[in-house]
Amino acid sequence: VQLQASGGGLVQAGGSLRLVCAASGRAFSTLAAGWFRQVPGKDREFVAGANNLGTTPAYAASARDRFTISRDNAENAVYLQMDSLKPEDTAIYYCAAARSLRTWYNGWDSWGRGTLVTVSS
């Protein structure tokens, strides 16, 4: 599956952004999907994940209660609604997909190009 993330940009602290990951190729509805982020010089970190049906989402502690992952399999897309953004959310955000996962943190098969999110204070 090919993935392309979009929707990043510059926003003030407290603002919102909605990231979109468009998928093409292999049946996206059979894959788990997730969002990661990376700050230059640091490891990429898990943000949020959803199973193939979009039920039982999972979130990193830093994202819980502020971010919401959702997906529309008819549109081959997964979304990340980010509210109450903080300067520490500034990073490149990547979407990923996987056929099967044991944990949310590794085992992802496909990665899209990232989209930059910058939160100003």
Side-chain angles (χ1 to χ4, degrees):
V1 65
Q2 292 76 46
L3 305 171
Q4 178 62 57
S6 62
L10 174 64
V11 64
Q12 288 188 332
S16 299
L17 280 175
R18 187 191 192 213
L19 304 184
V20 180
C21 178
S24 61
R26 183 191 175 106
F28 182 64
S29 63
T30 67
L31 306 177
W35 289 94
F36 288 72
R37 67 187 183 187
Q38 187 171 25
V39 175
K42 296 188 177 181
D43 292 336
R44 186 161 48 190
E45 63 175 2
F46 170 77
V47 176
N51 64 2
N52 64 312
L53 299 177
T55 57
T56 62
Y59 297 95
S62 59
R64 196 170 296 129
D65 298 328
R66 298 188 300 124
F67 294 2
T68 303
I69 186 171
S70 61
R71 63 189 295 166
D72 184 340
N73 288 338
E75 296 293 327
N76 280 353
V78 61
Y79 309 97
L80 185 68
Q81 176 67 40
M82 303 188 296
D83 299 317
S84 302
L85 283 161
K86 304 175 182 179
E88 51 263 45
D89 294 318
T90 295
I92 301 172
Y93 284 71
Y94 298 88
C95 58
R99 287 165 292 181
S100 64
L101 295 170
R102 292 187 177 182
T103 78
W104 292 109
Y105 303 100
N106 49 52
W108 296 86
D109 302 312
S110 303
W111 295 88
R113 296 182 66 179
T115 185
L116 176 62
V117 171
T118 304
V119 184
S120 63
S121 58

